[in-house]
Amino acid sequence: MLEGRSLIEPGNFSLEETEGLFALAEKIENDDTFLRGSCGGKLLATLFFEPSTRTRLSFEAAMLRLGGSCLGFADPGSSSAAKGESLADTVRMAASYADAIVMRNPKEGAALLASRYSPVPVINAGDGGHHHPTQTLTDLLTIRRLRGGVKDLVVGYCGDLKFGRTVHSLAKALSRYENISMIFISPEELTPPEYIVRHLQKSNVEFREIRSLEEAMPHLDVLYMTRVQRERFFNEEDYIRLKDTYILNEEKMALGKKELVVLHPLPRVNEIAVEVDDDPRAAYFKQAKYGMYVRMALLSSILGVSGA
Ligand code: NCD
């Protein structure tokens, strides 16, 4: 039962609970009357202390499609945080108006802290360079739909694996699935954090770290491209030096398998050339659509109206 539960990182829901969400999301995809109106009278607070397009809009679209309503802010400068209000107080306020809270914050651990003060469920929409569990639900649902399941896959992650929270959450989540091996493709300075590496070792996941995208390409079933996270760098020079290390183009795509699935949480900057968009293996725009279905499944479940 997910009613009343918060989602701070992928491990908060069991594999079975996560699969239950995918089953609901697939029902919604196939029948747009399913769960329509089920969140009538419910309110979702969206507290975005960092920029967002897809995540905030897809949560809002999900809630509105379920018949519920949204309130919140997308610019922290317009909230009382700008007056020095603590996160704990902002969250207590939002919880007294709304039935659930979705929050994005630049500080790692902010969502966990919020969930401790909130009497209503809190969904982490990204806490600094740490986790982004609903992007992971989106990524897993896309893999499941396009590869017929989440098992027996070689998954490559490419780009900023140090600060990219979507990579951290996806790697952790995939470690629970059968026969998934991983290739981390990044410059030396942007390798995955120690806590992710340790988690994979503990879970007996086969993985390696390499520098060359060309070398990895022929082995991959899924390629997860990411942008270099400019806002988390300590200095602009390092960002400029590293930002264009990997650019996926037609030439590199030619090295990939026929059934390869290319994902990207978006926004992209330069790391995927637009010429790749027409390749049938490019799935990043489809991925954004799956995000809305799985967020509908999540909201209806934590608000206790999905019947699941
Ligand atoms: C990602 C994020 O915010 O971490 N975006 C998203 O939610 N789709 C990826 C990114 O910003 O690079």
PDB file of all heavy atoms in Angstrom, residues 54 58 134-143 146 166 170 223-225 261-266 272 282-295:
ATOM      1  N   ARG A  54      10.075  19.901 -17.358  1.00  0.00           N
ATOM      2  CA  ARG A  54       9.374  18.629 -17.441  1.00  0.00           C
ATOM      3  C   ARG A  54       8.798  18.163 -16.115  1.00  0.00           C
ATOM      4  O   ARG A  54       7.647  17.769 -16.019  1.00  0.00           O
ATOM      5  CB  ARG A  54      10.318  17.505 -17.907  1.00  0.00           C
ATOM      6  CG  ARG A  54      10.257  17.225 -19.356  1.00  0.00           C
ATOM      7  CD  ARG A  54      11.627  16.781 -19.774  1.00  0.00           C
ATOM      8  NE  ARG A  54      12.563  17.837 -19.455  1.00  0.00           N
ATOM      9  CZ  ARG A  54      12.793  18.866 -20.249  1.00  0.00           C
ATOM     10  NH1 ARG A  54      12.205  18.961 -21.385  1.00  0.00           N
ATOM     11  NH2 ARG A  54      13.640  19.818 -19.880  1.00  0.00           N
ATOM     12  N   SER A  58       4.955  18.045 -15.702  1.00  0.00           N
ATOM     13  CA  SER A  58       4.348  16.712 -15.795  1.00  0.00           C
ATOM     14  C   SER A  58       3.622  16.357 -14.500  1.00  0.00           C
ATOM     15  O   SER A  58       2.597  15.677 -14.540  1.00  0.00           O
ATOM     16  CB  SER A  58       5.325  15.639 -16.271  1.00  0.00           C
ATOM     17  OG  SER A  58       6.160  15.253 -15.250  1.00  0.00           O
ATOM     18  N   THR A 134      11.412  10.189  -9.213  1.00  0.00           N
ATOM     19  CA  THR A 134      10.315  10.080 -10.193  1.00  0.00           C
ATOM     20  C   THR A 134      10.858  10.119 -11.622  1.00  0.00           C
ATOM     21  O   THR A 134      10.206   9.624 -12.540  1.00  0.00           O
ATOM     22  CB  THR A 134       9.208  11.145 -10.005  1.00  0.00           C
ATOM     23  OG1 THR A 134       9.746  12.452 -10.224  1.00  0.00           O
ATOM     24  CG2 THR A 134       8.593  11.055  -8.620  1.00  0.00           C
ATOM     25  N   GLN A 135      12.066  10.682 -11.811  1.00  0.00           N
ATOM     26  CA  GLN A 135      12.695  10.550 -13.124  1.00  0.00           C
ATOM     27  C   GLN A 135      13.046   9.076 -13.339  1.00  0.00           C
ATOM     28  O   GLN A 135      12.900   8.533 -14.433  1.00  0.00           O
ATOM     29  CB  GLN A 135      13.947  11.437 -13.222  1.00  0.00           C
ATOM     30  CG  GLN A 135      14.647  11.348 -14.568  1.00  0.00           C
ATOM     31  CD  GLN A 135      13.791  11.853 -15.726  1.00  0.00           C
ATOM     32  OE1 GLN A 135      13.185  12.919 -15.627  1.00  0.00           O
ATOM     33  NE2 GLN A 135      13.711  11.093 -16.814  1.00  0.00           N
ATOM     34  N   THR A 136      13.457   8.415 -12.269  1.00  0.00           N
ATOM     35  CA  THR A 136      13.788   6.991 -12.368  1.00  0.00           C
ATOM     36  C   THR A 136      12.565   6.148 -12.718  1.00  0.00           C
ATOM     37  O   THR A 136      12.657   5.221 -13.521  1.00  0.00           O
ATOM     38  CB  THR A 136      14.415   6.513 -11.039  1.00  0.00           C
ATOM     39  OG1 THR A 136      15.606   7.254 -10.848  1.00  0.00           O
ATOM     40  CG2 THR A 136      14.718   5.035 -11.055  1.00  0.00           C
ATOM     41  N   LEU A 137      11.418   6.477 -12.113  1.00  0.00           N
ATOM     42  CA  LEU A 137      10.198   5.739 -12.482  1.00  0.00           C
ATOM     43  C   LEU A 137       9.930   5.922 -13.973  1.00  0.00           C
ATOM     44  O   LEU A 137       9.566   4.980 -14.680  1.00  0.00           O
ATOM     45  CB  LEU A 137       9.002   6.241 -11.661  1.00  0.00           C
ATOM     46  CG  LEU A 137       9.021   5.959 -10.150  1.00  0.00           C
ATOM     47  CD1 LEU A 137       7.829   6.636  -9.462  1.00  0.00           C
ATOM     48  CD2 LEU A 137       8.991   4.449  -9.876  1.00  0.00           C
ATOM     49  N   THR A 138      10.147   7.149 -14.446  1.00  0.00           N
ATOM     50  CA  THR A 138       9.976   7.459 -15.870  1.00  0.00           C
ATOM     51  C   THR A 138      10.929   6.621 -16.723  1.00  0.00           C
ATOM     52  O   THR A 138      10.539   6.016 -17.732  1.00  0.00           O
ATOM     53  CB  THR A 138      10.283   8.966 -16.086  1.00  0.00           C
ATOM     54  OG1 THR A 138       9.431   9.722 -15.252  1.00  0.00           O
ATOM     55  CG2 THR A 138      10.139   9.376 -17.528  1.00  0.00           C
ATOM     56  N   ASP A 139      12.195   6.584 -16.308  1.00  0.00           N
ATOM     57  CA  ASP A 139      13.227   5.866 -17.074  1.00  0.00           C
ATOM     58  C   ASP A 139      12.934   4.364 -17.109  1.00  0.00           C
ATOM     59  O   ASP A 139      13.026   3.716 -18.153  1.00  0.00           O
ATOM     60  CB  ASP A 139      14.610   6.091 -16.445  1.00  0.00           C
ATOM     61  CG  ASP A 139      14.976   7.567 -16.345  1.00  0.00           C
ATOM     62  OD1 ASP A 139      14.406   8.370 -17.107  1.00  0.00           O
ATOM     63  OD2 ASP A 139      15.820   7.915 -15.501  1.00  0.00           O
ATOM     64  N   LEU A 140      12.551   3.818 -15.951  1.00  0.00           N
ATOM     65  CA  LEU A 140      12.290   2.370 -15.884  1.00  0.00           C
ATOM     66  C   LEU A 140      11.057   2.002 -16.709  1.00  0.00           C
ATOM     67  O   LEU A 140      11.055   0.985 -17.408  1.00  0.00           O
ATOM     68  CB  LEU A 140      12.071   1.932 -14.424  1.00  0.00           C
ATOM     69  CG  LEU A 140      13.295   1.968 -13.504  1.00  0.00           C
ATOM     70  CD1 LEU A 140      12.862   1.647 -12.075  1.00  0.00           C
ATOM     71  CD2 LEU A 140      14.372   0.987 -13.956  1.00  0.00           C
ATOM     72  N   LEU A 141      10.032   2.840 -16.633  1.00  0.00           N
ATOM     73  CA  LEU A 141       8.823   2.550 -17.421  1.00  0.00           C
ATOM     74  C   LEU A 141       9.163   2.598 -18.918  1.00  0.00           C
ATOM     75  O   LEU A 141       8.703   1.754 -19.696  1.00  0.00           O
ATOM     76  CB  LEU A 141       7.707   3.547 -17.081  1.00  0.00           C
ATOM     77  CG  LEU A 141       6.415   3.389 -17.887  1.00  0.00           C
ATOM     78  CD1 LEU A 141       5.757   2.026 -17.656  1.00  0.00           C
ATOM     79  CD2 LEU A 141       5.401   4.499 -17.541  1.00  0.00           C
ATOM     80  N   THR A 142       9.994   3.553 -19.320  1.00  0.00           N
ATOM     81  CA  THR A 142      10.368   3.659 -20.741  1.00  0.00           C
ATOM     82  C   THR A 142      11.152   2.414 -21.175  1.00  0.00           C
ATOM     83  O   THR A 142      10.884   1.842 -22.239  1.00  0.00           O
ATOM     84  CB  THR A 142      11.209   4.935 -20.980  1.00  0.00           C
ATOM     85  OG1 THR A 142      10.555   6.042 -20.381  1.00  0.00           O
ATOM     86  CG2 THR A 142      11.393   5.201 -22.465  1.00  0.00           C
ATOM     87  N   ILE A 143      12.075   1.984 -20.355  1.00  0.00           N
ATOM     88  CA  ILE A 143      12.859   0.786 -20.695  1.00  0.00           C
ATOM     89  C   ILE A 143      11.919  -0.421 -20.805  1.00  0.00           C
ATOM     90  O   ILE A 143      11.969  -1.205 -21.747  1.00  0.00           O
ATOM     91  CB  ILE A 143      13.972   0.526 -19.654  1.00  0.00           C
ATOM     92  CG1 ILE A 143      14.994   1.668 -19.654  1.00  0.00           C
ATOM     93  CG2 ILE A 143      14.663  -0.818 -19.912  1.00  0.00           C
ATOM     94  CD1 ILE A 143      16.031   1.605 -18.542  1.00  0.00           C
ATOM     95  N   LEU A 146       9.845  -0.158 -24.011  1.00  0.00           N
ATOM     96  CA  LEU A 146      10.559  -0.242 -25.294  1.00  0.00           C
ATOM     97  C   LEU A 146      11.407  -1.502 -25.427  1.00  0.00           C
ATOM     98  O   LEU A 146      11.747  -1.899 -26.531  1.00  0.00           O
ATOM     99  CB  LEU A 146      11.429   1.007 -25.518  1.00  0.00           C
ATOM    100  CG  LEU A 146      10.664   2.335 -25.519  1.00  0.00           C
ATOM    101  CD1 LEU A 146      11.597   3.491 -25.831  1.00  0.00           C
ATOM    102  CD2 LEU A 146       9.524   2.317 -26.548  1.00  0.00           C
ATOM    103  N   THR A 166      19.898  12.039 -11.656  1.00  0.00           N
ATOM    104  CA  THR A 166      19.070  11.023 -12.320  1.00  0.00           C
ATOM    105  C   THR A 166      19.851   9.726 -12.500  1.00  0.00           C
ATOM    106  O   THR A 166      19.292   8.641 -12.445  1.00  0.00           O
ATOM    107  CB  THR A 166      18.569  11.521 -13.693  1.00  0.00           C
ATOM    108  OG1 THR A 166      19.685  11.782 -14.532  1.00  0.00           O
ATOM    109  CG2 THR A 166      17.752  12.793 -13.563  1.00  0.00           C
ATOM    110  N   LEU A 170      18.827   6.109 -10.945  1.00  0.00           N
ATOM    111  CA  LEU A 170      18.579   5.010 -11.888  1.00  0.00           C
ATOM    112  C   LEU A 170      19.521   3.827 -11.614  1.00  0.00           C
ATOM    113  O   LEU A 170      19.088   2.670 -11.627  1.00  0.00           O
ATOM    114  CB  LEU A 170      18.735   5.506 -13.334  1.00  0.00           C
ATOM    115  CG  LEU A 170      18.451   4.467 -14.415  1.00  0.00           C
ATOM    116  CD1 LEU A 170      17.036   3.894 -14.305  1.00  0.00           C
ATOM    117  CD2 LEU A 170      18.651   5.066 -15.825  1.00  0.00           C
ATOM    118  N   LEU A 223      21.389   3.430 -23.681  1.00  0.00           N
ATOM    119  CA  LEU A 223      22.388   4.489 -23.456  1.00  0.00           C
ATOM    120  C   LEU A 223      21.675   5.660 -22.801  1.00  0.00           C
ATOM    121  O   LEU A 223      20.724   6.217 -23.364  1.00  0.00           O
ATOM    122  CB  LEU A 223      23.017   4.925 -24.789  1.00  0.00           C
ATOM    123  CG  LEU A 223      23.911   6.181 -24.719  1.00  0.00           C
ATOM    124  CD1 LEU A 223      25.069   5.989 -23.743  1.00  0.00           C
ATOM    125  CD2 LEU A 223      24.442   6.546 -26.106  1.00  0.00           C
ATOM    126  N   TYR A 224      22.128   6.021 -21.603  1.00  0.00           N
ATOM    127  CA  TYR A 224      21.510   7.105 -20.841  1.00  0.00           C
ATOM    128  C   TYR A 224      22.432   8.320 -20.882  1.00  0.00           C
ATOM    129  O   TYR A 224      23.436   8.364 -20.185  1.00  0.00           O
ATOM    130  CB  TYR A 224      21.293   6.624 -19.395  1.00  0.00           C
ATOM    131  CG  TYR A 224      20.330   7.459 -18.587  1.00  0.00           C
ATOM    132  CD1 TYR A 224      18.965   7.219 -18.637  1.00  0.00           C
ATOM    133  CD2 TYR A 224      20.786   8.490 -17.767  1.00  0.00           C
ATOM    134  CE1 TYR A 224      18.070   7.984 -17.900  1.00  0.00           C
ATOM    135  CE2 TYR A 224      19.893   9.260 -17.030  1.00  0.00           C
ATOM    136  CZ  TYR A 224      18.534   8.991 -17.094  1.00  0.00           C
ATOM    137  OH  TYR A 224      17.649   9.751 -16.362  1.00  0.00           O
ATOM    138  N   MET A 225      22.108   9.265 -21.764  1.00  0.00           N
ATOM    139  CA  MET A 225      22.949  10.462 -21.906  1.00  0.00           C
ATOM    140  C   MET A 225      22.535  11.502 -20.860  1.00  0.00           C
ATOM    141  O   MET A 225      21.353  11.606 -20.511  1.00  0.00           O
ATOM    142  CB  MET A 225      22.766  11.080 -23.303  1.00  0.00           C
ATOM    143  CG  MET A 225      23.304  10.274 -24.454  1.00  0.00           C
ATOM    144  SD  MET A 225      25.098  10.009 -24.424  1.00  0.00           S
ATOM    145  CE  MET A 225      25.735  11.689 -24.618  1.00  0.00           C
ATOM    146  N   VAL A 261      18.323   1.621 -27.112  1.00  0.00           N
ATOM    147  CA  VAL A 261      17.375   2.665 -26.717  1.00  0.00           C
ATOM    148  C   VAL A 261      18.183   3.816 -26.132  1.00  0.00           C
ATOM    149  O   VAL A 261      18.930   3.619 -25.168  1.00  0.00           O
ATOM    150  CB  VAL A 261      16.374   2.129 -25.660  1.00  0.00           C
ATOM    151  CG1 VAL A 261      15.519   3.261 -25.103  1.00  0.00           C
ATOM    152  CG2 VAL A 261      15.488   1.053 -26.265  1.00  0.00           C
ATOM    153  N   VAL A 262      18.066   4.999 -26.716  1.00  0.00           N
ATOM    154  CA  VAL A 262      18.802   6.161 -26.200  1.00  0.00           C
ATOM    155  C   VAL A 262      17.857   7.011 -25.351  1.00  0.00           C
ATOM    156  O   VAL A 262      16.823   7.478 -25.827  1.00  0.00           O
ATOM    157  CB  VAL A 262      19.381   7.030 -27.347  1.00  0.00           C
ATOM    158  CG1 VAL A 262      20.124   8.238 -26.772  1.00  0.00           C
ATOM    159  CG2 VAL A 262      20.300   6.205 -28.239  1.00  0.00           C
ATOM    160  N   LEU A 263      18.223   7.172 -24.084  1.00  0.00           N
ATOM    161  CA  LEU A 263      17.418   7.966 -23.149  1.00  0.00           C
ATOM    162  C   LEU A 263      18.185   9.218 -22.745  1.00  0.00           C
ATOM    163  O   LEU A 263      19.413   9.267 -22.832  1.00  0.00           O
ATOM    164  CB  LEU A 263      17.097   7.141 -21.896  1.00  0.00           C
ATOM    165  CG  LEU A 263      16.360   5.817 -22.107  1.00  0.00           C
ATOM    166  CD1 LEU A 263      16.138   5.112 -20.765  1.00  0.00           C
ATOM    167  CD2 LEU A 263      15.020   6.064 -22.791  1.00  0.00           C
ATOM    168  N   HIS A 264      17.464  10.213 -22.286  1.00  0.00           N
ATOM    169  CA  HIS A 264      18.062  11.434 -21.722  1.00  0.00           C
ATOM    170  C   HIS A 264      16.971  12.052 -20.858  1.00  0.00           C
ATOM    171  O   HIS A 264      15.829  12.197 -21.312  1.00  0.00           O
ATOM    172  CB  HIS A 264      18.464  12.391 -22.861  1.00  0.00           C
ATOM    173  CG  HIS A 264      19.300  13.566 -22.410  1.00  0.00           C
ATOM    174  ND1 HIS A 264      18.945  14.377 -21.356  1.00  0.00           N
ATOM    175  CD2 HIS A 264      20.484  14.060 -22.868  1.00  0.00           C
ATOM    176  CE1 HIS A 264      19.882  15.322 -21.187  1.00  0.00           C
ATOM    177  NE2 HIS A 264      20.823  15.146 -22.091  1.00  0.00           N
ATOM    178  N   PRO A 265      17.274  12.419 -19.607  1.00  0.00           N
ATOM    179  CA  PRO A 265      16.201  12.986 -18.767  1.00  0.00           C
ATOM    180  C   PRO A 265      15.742  14.355 -19.282  1.00  0.00           C
ATOM    181  O   PRO A 265      14.651  14.813 -18.922  1.00  0.00           O
ATOM    182  CB  PRO A 265      16.854  13.106 -17.388  1.00  0.00           C
ATOM    183  CG  PRO A 265      18.326  13.157 -17.638  1.00  0.00           C
ATOM    184  CD  PRO A 265      18.555  12.348 -18.887  1.00  0.00           C
ATOM    185  N   LEU A 266      16.561  14.998 -20.110  1.00  0.00           N
ATOM    186  CA  LEU A 266      16.339  16.355 -20.625  1.00  0.00           C
ATOM    187  C   LEU A 266      16.373  17.361 -19.454  1.00  0.00           C
ATOM    188  O   LEU A 266      16.047  16.984 -18.347  1.00  0.00           O
ATOM    189  CB  LEU A 266      15.028  16.454 -21.409  1.00  0.00           C
ATOM    190  CG  LEU A 266      14.910  15.478 -22.596  1.00  0.00           C
ATOM    191  CD1 LEU A 266      13.515  15.605 -23.230  1.00  0.00           C
ATOM    192  CD2 LEU A 266      15.982  15.747 -23.659  1.00  0.00           C
ATOM    193  N   ILE A 272      23.628  15.650 -27.236  1.00  0.00           N
ATOM    194  CA  ILE A 272      23.038  14.845 -28.320  1.00  0.00           C
ATOM    195  C   ILE A 272      22.791  15.789 -29.499  1.00  0.00           C
ATOM    196  O   ILE A 272      22.009  16.757 -29.371  1.00  0.00           O
ATOM    197  CB  ILE A 272      21.703  14.180 -27.916  1.00  0.00           C
ATOM    198  CG1 ILE A 272      21.887  13.286 -26.680  1.00  0.00           C
ATOM    199  CG2 ILE A 272      21.150  13.357 -29.080  1.00  0.00           C
ATOM    200  CD1 ILE A 272      20.619  12.547 -26.249  1.00  0.00           C
ATOM    201  N   ALA A 282      16.251   6.850 -30.818  1.00  0.00           N
ATOM    202  CA  ALA A 282      16.208   7.999 -29.895  1.00  0.00           C
ATOM    203  C   ALA A 282      14.852   8.005 -29.200  1.00  0.00           C
ATOM    204  O   ALA A 282      13.823   8.169 -29.844  1.00  0.00           O
ATOM    205  CB  ALA A 282      16.400   9.299 -30.673  1.00  0.00           C
ATOM    206  N   ALA A 283      14.837   7.810 -27.884  1.00  0.00           N
ATOM    207  CA  ALA A 283      13.549   7.642 -27.187  1.00  0.00           C
ATOM    208  C   ALA A 283      13.280   8.743 -26.169  1.00  0.00           C
ATOM    209  O   ALA A 283      12.333   8.660 -25.404  1.00  0.00           O
ATOM    210  CB  ALA A 283      13.525   6.277 -26.501  1.00  0.00           C
ATOM    211  N   TYR A 284      14.090   9.806 -26.167  1.00  0.00           N
ATOM    212  CA  TYR A 284      13.979  10.780 -25.072  1.00  0.00           C
ATOM    213  C   TYR A 284      12.703  11.608 -25.075  1.00  0.00           C
ATOM    214  O   TYR A 284      12.287  12.077 -24.027  1.00  0.00           O
ATOM    215  CB  TYR A 284      15.216  11.693 -24.980  1.00  0.00           C
ATOM    216  CG  TYR A 284      15.954  11.917 -26.264  1.00  0.00           C
ATOM    217  CD1 TYR A 284      15.662  12.984 -27.095  1.00  0.00           C
ATOM    218  CD2 TYR A 284      16.956  11.024 -26.660  1.00  0.00           C
ATOM    219  CE1 TYR A 284      16.358  13.171 -28.281  1.00  0.00           C
ATOM    220  CE2 TYR A 284      17.636  11.208 -27.853  1.00  0.00           C
ATOM    221  CZ  TYR A 284      17.332  12.278 -28.660  1.00  0.00           C
ATOM    222  OH  TYR A 284      18.004  12.458 -29.841  1.00  0.00           O
ATOM    223  N   PHE A 285      12.070  11.785 -26.227  1.00  0.00           N
ATOM    224  CA  PHE A 285      10.810  12.547 -26.178  1.00  0.00           C
ATOM    225  C   PHE A 285       9.646  11.646 -25.736  1.00  0.00           C
ATOM    226  O   PHE A 285       8.775  12.070 -24.981  1.00  0.00           O
ATOM    227  CB  PHE A 285      10.543  13.265 -27.501  1.00  0.00           C
ATOM    228  CG  PHE A 285      11.563  14.372 -27.744  1.00  0.00           C
ATOM    229  CD1 PHE A 285      12.457  14.311 -28.802  1.00  0.00           C
ATOM    230  CD2 PHE A 285      11.662  15.443 -26.867  1.00  0.00           C
ATOM    231  CE1 PHE A 285      13.415  15.313 -29.003  1.00  0.00           C
ATOM    232  CE2 PHE A 285      12.621  16.451 -27.050  1.00  0.00           C
ATOM    233  CZ  PHE A 285      13.496  16.381 -28.117  1.00  0.00           C
ATOM    234  N   LYS A 286       9.702  10.368 -26.156  1.00  0.00           N
ATOM    235  CA  LYS A 286       8.705   9.399 -25.669  1.00  0.00           C
ATOM    236  C   LYS A 286       8.800   9.274 -24.155  1.00  0.00           C
ATOM    237  O   LYS A 286       7.806   9.184 -23.449  1.00  0.00           O
ATOM    238  CB  LYS A 286       9.021   8.013 -26.246  1.00  0.00           C
ATOM    239  CG  LYS A 286       8.355   7.726 -27.544  1.00  0.00           C
ATOM    240  CD  LYS A 286       8.549   6.250 -27.893  1.00  0.00           C
ATOM    241  CE  LYS A 286       8.672   6.130 -29.391  1.00  0.00           C
ATOM    242  NZ  LYS A 286       9.513   5.046 -29.836  1.00  0.00           N
ATOM    243  N   GLN A 287      10.060   9.256 -23.694  1.00  0.00           N
ATOM    244  CA  GLN A 287      10.347   9.117 -22.259  1.00  0.00           C
ATOM    245  C   GLN A 287       9.599  10.196 -21.452  1.00  0.00           C
ATOM    246  O   GLN A 287       9.024   9.902 -20.404  1.00  0.00           O
ATOM    247  CB  GLN A 287      11.859   9.298 -22.121  1.00  0.00           C
ATOM    248  CG  GLN A 287      12.494   8.997 -20.808  1.00  0.00           C
ATOM    249  CD  GLN A 287      14.003   9.317 -20.898  1.00  0.00           C
ATOM    250  OE1 GLN A 287      14.538   9.600 -21.975  1.00  0.00           O
ATOM    251  NE2 GLN A 287      14.687   9.256 -19.771  1.00  0.00           N
ATOM    252  N   ALA A 288       9.603  11.416 -21.942  1.00  0.00           N
ATOM    253  CA  ALA A 288       8.932  12.506 -21.225  1.00  0.00           C
ATOM    254  C   ALA A 288       7.425  12.212 -21.083  1.00  0.00           C
ATOM    255  O   ALA A 288       6.822  12.480 -20.045  1.00  0.00           O
ATOM    256  CB  ALA A 288       9.155  13.831 -21.952  1.00  0.00           C
ATOM    257  N   LYS A 289       6.836  11.610 -22.078  1.00  0.00           N
ATOM    258  CA  LYS A 289       5.400  11.283 -22.033  1.00  0.00           C
ATOM    259  C   LYS A 289       5.124  10.183 -20.985  1.00  0.00           C
ATOM    260  O   LYS A 289       4.168  10.275 -20.221  1.00  0.00           O
ATOM    261  CB  LYS A 289       4.964  10.824 -23.427  1.00  0.00           C
ATOM    262  CG  LYS A 289       3.528  10.489 -23.551  1.00  0.00           C
ATOM    263  CD  LYS A 289       2.830  11.400 -24.528  1.00  0.00           C
ATOM    264  CE  LYS A 289       1.340  11.307 -24.339  1.00  0.00           C
ATOM    265  NZ  LYS A 289       0.582  12.034 -25.298  1.00  0.00           N
ATOM    266  N   TYR A 290       5.981   9.168 -20.968  1.00  0.00           N
ATOM    267  CA  TYR A 290       5.820   8.119 -19.950  1.00  0.00           C
ATOM    268  C   TYR A 290       5.888   8.713 -18.541  1.00  0.00           C
ATOM    269  O   TYR A 290       5.274   8.211 -17.607  1.00  0.00           O
ATOM    270  CB  TYR A 290       6.881   7.032 -20.120  1.00  0.00           C
ATOM    271  CG  TYR A 290       6.637   6.148 -21.317  1.00  0.00           C
ATOM    272  CD1 TYR A 290       7.624   5.939 -22.284  1.00  0.00           C
ATOM    273  CD2 TYR A 290       5.410   5.515 -21.484  1.00  0.00           C
ATOM    274  CE1 TYR A 290       7.392   5.128 -23.388  1.00  0.00           C
ATOM    275  CE2 TYR A 290       5.169   4.714 -22.579  1.00  0.00           C
ATOM    276  CZ  TYR A 290       6.165   4.521 -23.528  1.00  0.00           C
ATOM    277  OH  TYR A 290       5.913   3.721 -24.598  1.00  0.00           O
ATOM    278  N   GLY A 291       6.668   9.785 -18.392  1.00  0.00           N
ATOM    279  CA  GLY A 291       6.804  10.444 -17.085  1.00  0.00           C
ATOM    280  C   GLY A 291       5.472  10.912 -16.549  1.00  0.00           C
ATOM    281  O   GLY A 291       5.198  10.824 -15.350  1.00  0.00           O
ATOM    282  N   MET A 292       4.622  11.390 -17.432  1.00  0.00           N
ATOM    283  CA  MET A 292       3.318  11.870 -16.971  1.00  0.00           C
ATOM    284  C   MET A 292       2.443  10.696 -16.508  1.00  0.00           C
ATOM    285  O   MET A 292       1.805  10.757 -15.459  1.00  0.00           O
ATOM    286  CB  MET A 292       2.623  12.633 -18.085  1.00  0.00           C
ATOM    287  CG  MET A 292       1.299  13.195 -17.639  1.00  0.00           C
ATOM    288  SD  MET A 292       0.477  14.049 -18.967  1.00  0.00           S
ATOM    289  CE  MET A 292      -0.030  12.676 -19.993  1.00  0.00           C
ATOM    290  N   TYR A 293       2.457   9.600 -17.261  1.00  0.00           N
ATOM    291  CA  TYR A 293       1.632   8.445 -16.869  1.00  0.00           C
ATOM    292  C   TYR A 293       2.065   7.891 -15.510  1.00  0.00           C
ATOM    293  O   TYR A 293       1.249   7.560 -14.660  1.00  0.00           O
ATOM    294  CB  TYR A 293       1.733   7.332 -17.916  1.00  0.00           C
ATOM    295  CG  TYR A 293       1.208   7.711 -19.276  1.00  0.00           C
ATOM    296  CD1 TYR A 293       1.933   7.422 -20.428  1.00  0.00           C
ATOM    297  CD2 TYR A 293      -0.027   8.357 -19.411  1.00  0.00           C
ATOM    298  CE1 TYR A 293       1.449   7.761 -21.686  1.00  0.00           C
ATOM    299  CE2 TYR A 293      -0.514   8.701 -20.658  1.00  0.00           C
ATOM    300  CZ  TYR A 293       0.225   8.398 -21.797  1.00  0.00           C
ATOM    301  OH  TYR A 293      -0.252   8.740 -23.030  1.00  0.00           O
ATOM    302  N   VAL A 294       3.377   7.800 -15.335  1.00  0.00           N
ATOM    303  CA  VAL A 294       3.825   7.177 -14.084  1.00  0.00           C
ATOM    304  C   VAL A 294       3.606   8.127 -12.901  1.00  0.00           C
ATOM    305  O   VAL A 294       3.346   7.690 -11.779  1.00  0.00           O
ATOM    306  CB  VAL A 294       5.288   6.665 -14.223  1.00  0.00           C
ATOM    307  CG1 VAL A 294       6.318   7.736 -13.959  1.00  0.00           C
ATOM    308  CG2 VAL A 294       5.517   5.469 -13.316  1.00  0.00           C
ATOM    309  N   ARG A 295       3.630   9.422 -13.154  1.00  0.00           N
ATOM    310  CA  ARG A 295       3.332  10.372 -12.072  1.00  0.00           C
ATOM    311  C   ARG A 295       1.835  10.339 -11.742  1.00  0.00           C
ATOM    312  O   ARG A 295       1.444  10.510 -10.584  1.00  0.00           O
ATOM    313  CB  ARG A 295       3.811  11.779 -12.444  1.00  0.00           C
ATOM    314  CG  ARG A 295       5.335  11.863 -12.379  1.00  0.00           C
ATOM    315  CD  ARG A 295       5.899  13.217 -12.750  1.00  0.00           C
ATOM    316  NE  ARG A 295       7.327  13.241 -12.523  1.00  0.00           N
ATOM    317  CZ  ARG A 295       8.264  13.272 -13.488  1.00  0.00           C
ATOM    318  NH1 ARG A 295       7.921  13.301 -14.758  1.00  0.00           N
ATOM    319  NH2 ARG A 295       9.551  13.280 -13.169  1.00  0.00           N
TER     320      ARG A 295
END
